[in-house]
Amino acid sequence: MTTPLVEMDGDEMTRILWQAIKEKLLLPFVDLKCEYYDLGLPYRNETDDAVTVAAAEAIKKYGVGVKCATITPNAQRVEEYKLKKMWKSPNGTIRAVLDGTVFRAPVVVNGIRPVVSTWKKPITLARHAYGDVYKNSELYVNGAAKAELCVTYPDGKVEKKDIHNFDGAGVIMGMHNTDASITAFAHACFQYALSIKQDLWFSSKDTISKTYDHRFKDIFADLYETQYKEAFEAAGIEYFYTLIDDAVARVVRSEGGFIWACKNYDGDVMSDMVATAFGSLAMMTSVLVSPDGKYEYEAAHGTVTRHYYKHLKGEATSTNSVATIFAWSGALRKRGELDNLPDLVAFADKLEKATIDTIESGVMTGDLYALSTLENKTKVGSLEFLDAIAEKLA
Ligand code: NAP
Ligand code: MG
């Protein structure tokens, strides 16, 4: 390795897996060069969360990071960890610094059949993570009333539009998005499609929302035509826009193998649908891509608290490390591509293959054991699973 990978450690069961993955699957095979940031809750608390910002800045500087799952504190965690305050979600902090878009994709293996039988390849979901209903203003209208949209410009110019003349009680909502955020989202989607060489689909409801959703459609179309068309054609991939209803129908009939970009709410709902239909949360990987092409890889699941408490009591655990392993392989592959290190790219491929081969040979953790249709399958513990992968890898 030539450029360091930004390594962000985390909490609970995934912190234990993190250490074991490094010991068993990485250090024996790779001359790892990492810049280490401890995002475990105790150290975030000790540094007043400065470590999280420092890690995000390091990703900006070097371009690629890999992150372990971390606790987002709530009132109970403040008590449990004796925190100075209820620190914000590290993922939120990192996303704010990088202004990125999250892409989630399942790891597909034989024996774990997607509920949708036509799906043969992963579907990657890209969710716009700003605005719309998540930053709305809502009112309960308490009886007959006239509701209007009103925009006031700095020069005093006012634009108004009727929403509804209420005869009786009801509800209204105002929401927004910005050209800057939609543009950043579109760049991240086009960049990521080029990076993994898959088609990009974008869907919205522009037939009904002729100004709001149409703005998204126009920004995507404009960027594609002016900045990405040639590169897409050279890579042999396609961009296409379709109505969200049509997209849903096409996705279900497809065999997968593309990126589906969604507005914030659509992405929230559809990513849970796609993840569930593919089988297991523990097999979902996630990568944050900034509009200027910085990458942060992680597992989509949390710190698996319930398993950690069992582990602390000395009980055996069978926690699935696949998504965390794929976070590492994704980050190492990207580092290898950027630094022109074919051996590192090849190692990432081999690590993924050894992981998939292990599961397909029948050795798996409890969550997959419950789902797998393989006839000869064995349930193994958290660390035994890593040992089995290490053996295949060697
Ligand atoms: P979680 O850690 O994803 O776990 C929820 C349940 O899903 C587990 O109890 C387990 O089910 C199953 N599961 C998830 N990952 C698994 C794996 N790798 N192997 C086997 N089973 C797995 O979500 P949570 O319990 O809601 O959250 C725990 C902590 O994680 C919270 O403090 C939250 O803030 C944090 N979190 C962090 C991130 C992140 O850093 N990106 C994301 C989400 C949540 P069973 O117990 O039935 O076996
Ligand atoms: Mg959701």
Side-chain angles (χ1 to χ4, degrees):
M1 293 183 70
T2 48
T3 315
L5 184 60
V6 180
E7 174 189 355
M8 289 159 282
D9 209 340
D11 289 299
E12 299 194 313
M13 199 61 207
T14 41
R15 187 179 179 96
I16 290 165
L17 296 177
W18 192 261
Q19 191 57 42
I21 289 168
K22 281 174 68 181
E23 262 167 35
K24 293 173 190 290
L25 301 180
L26 303 175
L27 292 170
F29 305 98
V30 182
D31 200 3
L32 259 192
K33 190 168 177 180
C34 290
E35 197 167 288
Y36 179 86
Y37 292 86
D38 184 359
L39 300 200
L41 189 49
Y43 194 64
R44 271 184 276 149
N45 190 52
E46 203 180 309
T47 62
D48 293 340
D49 211 20
V51 66
T52 308
V53 176
E57 293 296 342
I59 300 171
K60 256 189 155 169
K61 176 175 166 193
Y62 295 117
V64 188
V66 59
K67 180 180 168 290
C68 180
T70 47
I71 293 169
T72 297
N74 53 18
Q76 182 249 320
R77 298 296 200 165
V78 172
E79 180 71 15
E80 183 183 353
Y81 282 83
K82 306 278 173 260
L83 300 179
K84 295 183 210 164
K85 63 185 249 198
M86 203 185 290
W87 304 110
K88 283 194 236 160
S89 147
N91 291 56
T93 302
I94 295 168
R95 196 154 58 216
V97 172
L98 294 178
D99 186 20
T101 297
V102 173
F103 297 81
R104 277 176 148 205
V107 176
V108 176
V109 293
N110 279 329
I112 312 288
R113 290 203 192 122
V115 176
V116 179
S117 59
T118 51
W119 290 356
K120 303 276 185 277
K121 298 177 213 158
I123 293 168
T124 300
L125 214 124
R127 172 183 172 186
H128 184 211
Y130 176 81
D132 301 353
V133 74
Y134 302 87
K135 277 218 188 286
N136 70 1
S137 263
E138 325 183 294
L139 274 177
Y140 175 63
V141 180
N142 194 10
K146 177 180 173 173
E148 293 171 296
L149 282 177
C150 170
V151 177
T152 312
Y153 291 93
D155 66 359
K157 194 184 145 221
V158 172
E159 243 184 287
K160 279 194 183 176
K161 198 163 184 178
D162 284 356
I163 296 174
H164 189 63
N165 281 306
F166 286 88
D167 296 330
V171 283
I172 61 165
M173 169 165 81
M175 59 186 201
H176 81 281
N177 222 298
T178 65
D179 280 8
S181 176
I182 301 165
T183 303
F185 174 54
H187 274 300
C189 291
F190 288 124
Q191 299 250 357
Y192 193 63
L194 285 170
S195 144
I196 65 168
K197 296 199 171 44
Q198 285 187 358
D199 291 349
L200 174 66
W201 302 12
F202 176 54
S203 56
S204 76
K205 193 73 182 174
D206 66 291
T207 49
I208 299 296
S209 173
K210 289 184 167 62
T211 301
Y212 197 111
D213 278 21
H214 214 286
R215 187 75 197 138
F216 283 75
K217 178 181 175 180
D218 287 346
I219 287 175
F220 268 76
D222 186 52
L223 276 187
Y224 180 68
E225 287 301 324
T226 56
Q227 297 186 40
Y228 290 100
K229 196 171 179 194
E230 271 175 35
F232 266 56
E233 283 171 1
I237 57 173
E238 268 185 20
Y239 165 66
F240 98 100
Y241 174 85
T242 187
L243 264 185
I244 180 87
D245 350 17
D246 180 53
V248 168
R250 282 174 188 256
V251 164
V252 170
R253 287 194 310 260
S254 78
E255 61 166 36
F258 54 87
I259 301 165
W260 182 15
C262 288
K263 288 181 59 207
N264 209 348
Y265 174 81
D266 299 339
D268 183 355
V269 178
M270 290 304 157
S271 66
D272 283 349
M273 195 271 288
V274 170
T276 309
F278 266 109
S280 166
L281 184 61
M283 301 290 275
M284 262 296 161
T285 62
S286 176
V287 52
L288 176 73
V289 182
S290 75
D292 57 346
K294 313 287 186 216
Y295 295 78
E296 185 237 5
Y297 293 82
E298 65 172 324
H301 61 75
T303 59
V304 212
T305 310
R306 206 180 64 86
H307 294 208
Y308 180 61
Y309 290 155
K310 274 176 74 177
H311 168 82
L312 288 182
K313 281 193 267 171
E315 291 171 33
T317 58
S318 185
T319 313
N320 189 336
S321 46
V322 170
T324 307
I325 295 170
F326 273 66
W328 274 102
S329 59
L332 291 171
R333 180 182 297 107
K334 179 54 70 185
R335 198 64 275 165
E337 286 168 3
L338 293 174
D339 295 345
N340 200 10
L341 302 169
D343 285 352
L344 193 58
V345 175
F347 172 75
D349 294 343
K350 286 174 192 164
L351 175 57
E352 291 181 359
K353 186 171 188 308
T355 304
I356 290 172
D357 285 352
T358 300
I359 299 167
E360 293 186 344
S361 76
V363 177
M364 59 195 82
T365 47
D367 57 316
L368 297 184
Y369 185 83
L371 295 172
S372 175
T373 55
L374 294 184
E375 281 183 5
N376 293 311
K377 52 179 179 178
T378 320
K379 175 183 160 178
V380 294
S382 309
L383 299 183
E384 286 168 89
F385 180 62
L386 293 173
D387 288 331
I389 298 170
E391 203 175 302
K392 280 235 189 296
L393 191 56

